[in-house]
Amino acid sequence: MAGVKRNFIYLSLYKVLEMLLPMITSPLLSRKLGADALGIYTYTYSIASVFVMFAELGVYRYGMREIAKVRDDKSKLNQIYSDIYSTHLFCGGVVFVIYILFVITSVKNNVIIYIIQAGCLISNMLDNAFFYVGIEDVKTLSLRDALIKICTFILIIVVIKSPEDLVIYTIIMVISSIIGKFIALIYARKYVRMVKPNVSACVNHLKPMAVLMVPALAAVIYQSMDRIMIGRFYNNADVGYYDCASKALIPKNIITALGTVLCPGIAKAYAEGKRNQVNETFKNSMRVSVIMSLAFMFGISAIAKEFAPFFWGKDFSICSKYMIGLSISLPVWCVGEVVRNQYLLPCGKDNEYMFAFLIGVAVNAILNFILIPITGATGAIIATICAELVISAVQAYFIRKEILIKKILVTTIPYFLIGCFMLFVVRNIAKILTFMPIICIVIEVIVGASLFTLLSFIYEIKSQHKCFILLFDKMVMKR
């Protein structure tokens, strides 16, 4: 129990930091680099990310699950880790060569930035995060990455001064990632020893890794597609606006953190035949996650109008409507996120996992092609919401015989109504506030958070329906 709580706290704090630092640096970068330079970085990084996912070959999800199964057997742990990491390293090297050939033969603009982004592939080749998550040592992973990100943040503030510093900014981002992954690779020797890889085993790992690569690749394409297509069919400035608004979705990382710390334990329980424990943990996690997503959706919508121009500058005021649009996707995304990472993945339902993502990517691509040339980032947001809805619905259908998602979601309706009331109150208060922008935003956050929390507690006391806090305690107590 203590281990799960501790891992969740460490990973949650890290995930918040992971989004918070870009949030803090984004107004500085929007002013110093400008929308066009930011758009170029985001666009080239999105392209590199697609190659990275081919290189990763589903190793994070597959490796985490397989390590969790054998973490109590030192000999098997050494062999499985060595086989999986060697397979990952080989695939990464092949994709690295392909990426370089792509840049040489196909890229005509911003070639230097594309070449620097090749460092993302080197960073991925060194990445052994799957091991730490599998043995449930999230503390080491979180503290290491947090320290690297803080140092990166300081460098960005000190060094980046103008749009001409785009190359330096890209180098800083790439090098910091490589250093973090290299340190983790060396530190892993404390827990596991590299042995001679079993070639036959490596080949056998390829198929399930490739199956899990499909949804992983689909996820990155899904996340990167919006930016790529906005840049291709609309303009780079809208890519910058969209990217800034996306950074406001810190809650996604908190919900992802919950799934990350629970997945290895669920995989182990499923392998041991403890189906009731798996189902109960999943149901409780789904309720807590959806309630969190509703709170954040209404919270972001409540402060977006004042937050965007204050944080990124008046030229980025349009980001407010993008923040509201993206926040609407949170609850829909949350349902799919919990199903896939806390049920389908740990229970070995890889084909269902893959199929749902492929349908979502197809829906997103079709709608993007139709909407982005007309409305830019707005069309991308509409496409995202629709695609997330399809993914969640398909995944819920796959597990309908084990768990009825609809029954769980019905219990969260009161919190949706509380969120609506909170949004109404905050927006009306905002109309009468005449203080400095930062003071207005702080007041809105305090009022909104306090109101949602207070009304939630009142509802739970009156209805005897404990969920917000008690279900989380119950969930970790099961461990």
Side-chain angles (χ1 to χ4, degrees):
M1 178 186 70
V4 175
K5 287 182 177 178
R6 184 173 58 251
N7 283 338
F8 177 67
I9 291 171
Y10 276 119
L11 196 56
S12 293
L13 290 175
Y14 168 68
K15 290 293 185 179
V16 169
L17 180 68
E18 186 178 44
M19 285 292 286
L20 193 59
L21 289 183
M23 278 284 290
I24 297 173
T25 55
S26 62
L28 299 174
L29 293 173
S30 66
R31 291 172 173 84
K32 293 181 178 181
L33 290 181
D36 286 334
L38 274 178
I40 291 171
Y41 173 81
T42 304
Y43 184 74
T44 56
Y45 178 77
S46 298
I47 297 293
S49 295
V50 175
F51 284 86
V52 166
M53 290 314 302
F54 276 109
E56 185 174 331
L57 197 67
V59 69
Y60 179 79
R61 292 168 175 80
Y62 178 76
M64 170 183 64
R65 187 175 69 195
E66 298 307 303
I67 291 294
K69 292 178 181 178
V70 300
R71 66 188 182 203
D72 297 328
D73 188 322
K74 188 69 173 180
S75 177
K76 289 183 179 180
L77 181 64
N78 291 338
Q79 191 64 59
I80 290 292
Y81 173 76
S82 301
D83 293 343
I84 292 177
Y85 185 76
S86 298
T87 305
H88 170 56
L89 192 63
F90 173 77
C91 294
V94 172
V95 176
F96 179 82
V97 173
I98 295 173
Y99 177 82
I100 295 299
L101 292 174
F102 161 76
V103 173
I104 293 173
T105 59
S106 303
V107 174
K108 297 180 181 179
N109 299 317
N110 305 307
V111 176
I112 294 177
I113 303 298
Y114 275 99
I115 292 175
I116 298 171
Q117 295 285 21
C120 295
L121 286 158
I122 296 175
S123 173
N124 178 263
M125 289 165 63
L126 299 174
D127 191 8
N128 66 343
F130 68 89
F131 172 75
Y132 291 98
V133 178
I135 64 172
E136 296 189 89
D137 182 17
V138 177
K139 176 182 177 181
T140 300
L141 192 67
S142 302
L143 292 180
R144 175 209 76 198
D145 282 353
L147 180 61
I148 295 295
K149 288 188 179 300
I150 290 172
C151 293
T152 303
F153 168 70
I154 295 171
L155 268 176
I156 290 172
I157 292 177
V158 173
V159 175
I160 307 303
K161 303 295 182 183
S162 68
E164 285 70 33
D165 294 326
L166 176 60
V167 171
I168 298 175
Y169 172 68
T170 309
I171 291 173
I172 291 174
M173 297 302 290
V174 168
I175 294 299
S176 63
S177 179
I178 292 175
I179 292 174
K181 300 301 190 298
F182 181 74
I183 292 174
L185 188 64
I186 300 301
Y187 188 76
R189 294 184 299 178
K190 177 181 176 181
Y191 303 98
V192 68
R193 180 170 59 90
M194 283 291 292
V195 297
K196 182 179 179 180
N198 184 317
V199 178
S200 176
C202 290
V203 173
N204 290 334
H205 286 311
L206 279 174
K207 181 179 178 180
M209 287 173 69
V211 170
L212 284 177
M213 179 200 72
V214 175
L217 178 61
V220 169
I221 294 176
Y222 178 66
Q223 294 164 6
S224 303
M225 186 186 301
D226 295 343
R227 294 164 175 81
I228 293 173
M229 294 181 70
I230 292 170
R232 176 67 179 82
F233 297 117
Y234 210 68
N235 57 56
N236 283 332
D238 237 33
V239 177
Y241 298 141
Y242 183 84
D243 188 58
C244 285
S246 299
K247 288 181 171 64
L249 298 183
I250 293 177
K252 271 193 173 184
N253 289 29
I254 298 175
I255 295 169
T256 300
L258 180 60
T260 300
V261 299
L262 288 176
C263 185
I266 293 175
K268 193 169 185 294
Y270 187 84
E272 295 171 352
K274 300 176 181 178
R275 304 298 172 85
N276 289 336
Q277 179 181 331
V278 170
N279 290 349
E280 190 65 20
T281 301
F282 171 81
K283 291 176 183 178
N284 293 336
S285 177
M286 175 65 80
R287 291 190 185 98
V288 172
S289 298
V290 171
I291 292 170
M292 289 170 59
S293 70
L294 289 172
F296 287 123
M297 176 186 74
F298 287 111
I300 291 172
S301 298
I303 68 169
K305 187 175 181 180
E306 291 74 33
F307 183 87
F310 165 75
F311 206 71
W312 293 296
K314 292 183 178 179
D315 291 341
F316 284 72
S317 295
I318 193 174
C319 290
S320 61
K321 74 172 186 177
Y322 295 160
M323 286 175 61
I324 295 172
L326 289 170
S327 73
I328 294 172
S329 70
L330 274 174
V332 183
W333 165 85
C334 175
V335 173
E337 174 72 8
V338 175
V339 173
R340 57 181 166 265
N341 287 326
Q342 296 180 41
Y343 201 90
L344 296 181
L345 177 61
C347 296
K349 297 181 181 294
D350 297 343
N351 290 332
E352 291 89 341
Y353 187 107
M354 173 182 65
F355 183 72
F357 252 118
L358 289 177
I359 293 179
V361 170
V363 171
N364 197 30
I366 293 170
L367 292 178
N368 275 339
F369 271 115
I370 296 172
L371 298 174
I372 286 179
I374 302 171
T375 60
T378 301
I381 292 170
I382 295 172
T384 296
I385 295 172
C386 293
E388 293 288 4
L389 185 61
V390 170
I391 291 175
S392 296
V394 171
Q395 290 179 160
Y397 176 80
F398 283 144
I399 67 170
R400 70 193 184 284
K401 293 182 179 179
E402 292 89 359
I403 298 172
L404 286 176
I405 299 297
K406 183 171 70 172
K407 286 187 176 181
I408 301 175
L409 296 182
V410 166
T411 64
T412 67
I413 292 177
Y415 300 93
F416 176 85
L417 299 176
I418 290 171
C420 289
F421 181 71
M422 180 266 285
L423 175 62
F424 174 79
V425 172
V426 172
R427 288 317 307 156
N428 278 278
I429 289 177
K431 293 177 181 179
I432 62 175
L433 292 177
T434 58
F435 304 108
M436 294 173 57
I438 180 62
I439 297 177
C440 293
I441 293 170
V442 170
I443 292 174
E444 290 171 16
V445 170
I446 293 174
V447 171
S450 301
L451 190 59
F452 189 91
T453 303
L454 178 62
L455 292 179
S456 295
F457 275 116
I458 292 174
Y459 162 71
E460 292 184 356
I461 292 172
K462 295 292 185 181
S463 67
Q464 299 296 315
H465 183 77
K466 305 297 186 291
C467 185
F468 207 155
I469 296 176
L470 295 184
L471 271 183
F472 178 75
D473 288 339
K474 182 180 178 181
M475 176 181 62
V476 295
M477 284 293 289
K478 290 291 182 182
R479 299 290 307 279

